[in-house]
């Protein structure tokens, strides 16, 4: 194992869908990252199953990399000759052998969302734990593009929010600053993991952490002006998310769309959101870099309400987890 000056060492617990996407997203950007992934643990998958997942996944494509298993290591070779050696362990959380070695620990299993269960990672070299889910007792929730600059080195247990929190918060903040939010609601049509399809072959209304998180994170959102309708469907592809905002400042639809286009292409929403003219279906947005891709022809207004149709690859909300981790690594 080795360290480069100014580059922090990372360990990941959990190699489900989130971990798979995160590894690929980091590999594609590692030459500009402030961190290196050197350790991965999963309590369910052994290294051979992980290799099969990486090689054969339908959505996350590692084809440009040469990947091999050597003893307990994933050996990854980039086209430019750069090599990565990642130690893989298949242990319960309490017996991960490399606890205390990474500078930052990514808790990505989805099983340890309570911060108190993540404090076990804060040993020796490990000064920060980032939880890839909503954690109600984390010291702080940091959403990249919204409040990530509130990070300070005394924060040890950090939640990045969730896929819907990252899809909503920076955009809602822009709406509020630009026009003032009176009230808002969100409709989410959310996919489901493939392995769960056989037991979930119907629609299922569920609670979404966004409904409570937004109220905690944003002063203008409260119990009286915000709703989330969240429906899980038997489908494994890219999800849909539609927003409605009633605003204080009345502007016409063309002005709103022009303002949005400017913010996405040149302003504070740049690199966070996408804007496509036509709706050609969800699958073209698989592994998108954006938290939400809005469809321009689907943006409507009625009175002082604006309605926006969007797609988001909830599995690839690692895009904002990566951005947050890279920002924290640059400040540590």
């Amino acid at each position: 194992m080795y360290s480069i000056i100014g580059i922090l060492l990372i360990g990941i617990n959990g190699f489900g869908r989130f971990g798979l996407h995160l590894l690929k997203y980091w590999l594609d950007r590692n030459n500009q990252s402030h961190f290196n992934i050197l350790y991965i643990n999963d309590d369910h998958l052994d290294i051979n199953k992980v290799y099969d997942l990486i090689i054969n996944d339908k959505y996350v494509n590692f084809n440009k990399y040469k990947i091999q298993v050597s003893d307990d290591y994933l050996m990854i070779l980039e086209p430019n000759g750069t090599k990565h050696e990642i130690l893989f362990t298949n242990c319960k959380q309490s017996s991960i052998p490399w606890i205390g070695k990474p500078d930052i620990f990514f808790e990505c299993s989805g099983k340890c969302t309570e911060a108190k269960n993540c404090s076990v990672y804060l040993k020796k070299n490990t000064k920060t734990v980032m939880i890839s889910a909503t954690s109600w007792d984390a010291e702080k929730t940091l959403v990249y593009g919204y409040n990530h600059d509130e990070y300070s080195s005394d924060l040890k247990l950090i939640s990045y929010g969730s896929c819907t929190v990252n899809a909503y918060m920076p955009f809602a903040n822009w709406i509020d600053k630009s026009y003032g939010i009176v009230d808002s609601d969100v409709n989410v049509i959310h996919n489901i993991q493939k392995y769960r399809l056989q037991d979930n072959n119907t629609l299922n209304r569920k609670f979404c952490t966004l409904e409570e998180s937004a109220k905690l994170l944003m002063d203008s959102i409260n119990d009286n002006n915000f709703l989330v309708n969240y429906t899980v469907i038997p489908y494994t592809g890219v999800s849909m998310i539609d927003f409605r905002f009633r605003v204080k400042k009345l502007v016409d639809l063309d002005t709103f769309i022009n303002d949005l286009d400017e913010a996405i292409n040149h302003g504070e929403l740049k690199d966070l959101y996408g804007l496509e003219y036509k709706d050609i279906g969800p699958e073209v947005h698989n592994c998108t870099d954006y938290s939400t891709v809005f469809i321009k022809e689907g943006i409507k207004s009625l009175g002082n309400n604006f309605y926006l149709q969007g797609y988001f690859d909830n599995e690839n909300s690692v895009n904002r987890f990566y951005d947050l981790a890279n920002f924290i690594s640059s400040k540590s």
Side-chain angles (χ1 to χ4, degrees), residues 1-3 7-11 36 38-39 97-106 118-130 151 153 155-156 328-329 332:
M1 300 300 172
Y2 59 92
S3 176
I7 303 296
L8 299 192
L9 307 185
I10 301 297
N36 277 336
L38 290 187
Y39 311 93
W98 44 265
I99 284 179
K101 293 184 179 180
D103 299 299
I104 302 179
F105 198 107
F106 294 170
C118 297
S119 60
V120 65
Y121 305 135
L122 292 168
K123 296 180 179 179
K124 298 180 181 178
N125 295 335
T126 305
K127 308 303 181 186
T128 306
V129 178
M130 289 181 56
Y151 166 75
S153 58
L155 292 172
K156 307 302 181 188
I328 290 173
S329 298
S332 300

Side-chain angles (χ1 to χ4, degrees), residues 18 104-119 121 128-142 156-162 166 321 324:
F18 196 95
I104 302 179
F105 198 107
F106 294 170
E107 170 45 57
C108 299
S109 70
K111 301 174 183 178
C112 300
T113 59
E114 293 187 1
K116 63 181 182 181
N117 294 331
C118 297
S119 60
Y121 305 135
T128 306
V129 178
M130 289 181 56
I131 304 169
S132 69
T134 300
S135 175
W136 302 116
D137 61 343
E139 293 174 74
K140 197 171 186 65
T141 295
L142 293 176
K156 307 302 181 188
L157 297 164
I158 298 168
S159 168
Y160 102 117
S162 69
N166 279 271
F321 185 92
L324 179 61

Side-chain angles (χ1 to χ4, degrees), residues 168 184 186 210-211 214-215 221-228:
Y168 181 80
S184 174
V186 181
L210 172 63
E211 188 157 6
K215 299 170 191 175
I221 299 296
N222 56 64
D223 287 331
N224 299 315
N225 71 352
F226 185 61
L227 290 172
V228 178

Side-chain angles (χ1 to χ4, degrees), residues 34-300:
H34 295 282
F35 64 86
N36 277 336
I37 297 173
L38 290 187
Y39 311 93
I40 298 175
N41 180 75
D42 190 275
D43 65 359
H44 178 67
L45 300 172
D46 64 27
I47 193 169
N48 293 311
K49 290 179 180 177
V50 164
Y51 173 79
D52 288 341
L53 182 61
I54 291 172
I55 296 300
N56 298 314
D57 191 78
K58 177 181 177 181
Y59 294 110
V60 189
N61 190 327
F62 287 80
N63 284 353
K64 76 176 185 178
Y65 303 103
K66 292 183 179 179
I67 301 175
Q68 296 179 323
V69 170
S70 178
D71 296 325
D72 295 327
Y73 287 86
L74 290 171
M75 312 293 289
I76 303 173
L77 179 65
E78 295 189 44
N80 65 5
T82 300
K83 297 178 181 179
H84 304 279
E85 299 181 10
I86 301 175
L87 175 65
F88 186 89
T89 53
N90 176 214
C91 303
K92 298 297 184 183
Q93 180 203 24
S94 59
S95 58
I96 298 172
W98 44 265
I99 284 179
K101 293 184 179 180
D103 299 299
I104 302 179
F105 198 107
F106 294 170
E107 170 45 57
C108 299
S109 70
K111 301 174 183 178
C112 300
T113 59
E114 293 187 1
K116 63 181 182 181
N117 294 331
C118 297
S119 60
V120 65
Y121 305 135
L122 292 168
K123 296 180 179 179
K124 298 180 181 178
N125 295 335
T126 305
K127 308 303 181 186
T128 306
V129 178
M130 289 181 56
I131 304 169
S132 69
T134 300
S135 175
W136 302 116
D137 61 343
E139 293 174 74
K140 197 171 186 65
T141 295
L142 293 176
V143 179
Y144 190 83
Y146 173 64
N147 68 340
H148 67 276
D149 55 0
E150 295 177 11
Y151 166 75
S152 64
S153 58
D154 62 328
L155 292 172
K156 307 302 181 188
L157 297 164
I158 298 168
S159 168
Y160 102 117
S162 69
C163 57
T164 51
V165 169
N166 279 271
Y168 181 80
M169 290 305 304
F171 182 65
N173 186 52
W174 176 78
I175 290 282
D176 196 38
K177 289 193 297 184
S178 299
Y179 314 108
I181 292 176
V182 177
D183 50 48
S184 174
D185 52 60
V186 181
N187 288 284
V188 181
I189 306 298
H190 199 283
N191 73 1
I192 195 169
Q193 299 98 323
K194 185 176 180 180
Y195 73 90
R196 295 175 58 196
L197 281 177
Q198 59 187 9
D199 298 322
N200 296 270
N201 58 358
T202 188
L203 302 179
N204 186 14
R205 292 281 193 185
K206 298 185 71 176
F207 168 76
C208 180
T209 58
L210 172 63
E211 188 157 6
E212 293 302 319
S213 294
K215 299 170 191 175
L216 295 172
L217 289 167
M218 195 167 178
D219 290 340
S220 58
I221 299 296
N222 56 64
D223 287 331
N224 299 315
N225 71 352
F226 185 61
L227 290 172
V228 178
N229 296 309
Y230 182 89
T231 305
V232 175
I233 63 172
Y235 159 77
T236 60
V238 173
S239 299
M240 297 176 64
I241 186 165
D242 295 341
F243 301 145
R244 181 196 64 83
F245 294 95
R246 184 157 62 105
V247 297
K248 298 174 184 176
K249 180 182 177 182
L250 185 60
V251 296
D252 60 52
L253 182 60
D254 287 342
T255 299
F256 177 82
I257 292 175
N258 287 337
D259 289 348
L260 178 62
D261 189 275
E262 175 67 20
I264 286 178
N265 286 295
H266 306 288
E268 65 183 270
L269 302 182
K270 183 176 172 58
D271 299 325
L272 299 176
Y273 294 88
L275 184 62
E276 299 289 342
Y277 182 77
K278 286 191 172 294
D279 184 359
I280 56 174
E283 298 310 323
V284 294
H285 306 296
N286 178 57
C287 292
T288 177
D289 291 348
Y290 301 119
S291 298
T292 303
V293 179
F294 295 114
I295 307 302
K296 186 179 289 189
E297 66 178 6
I299 300 174
K300 308 293 183 185

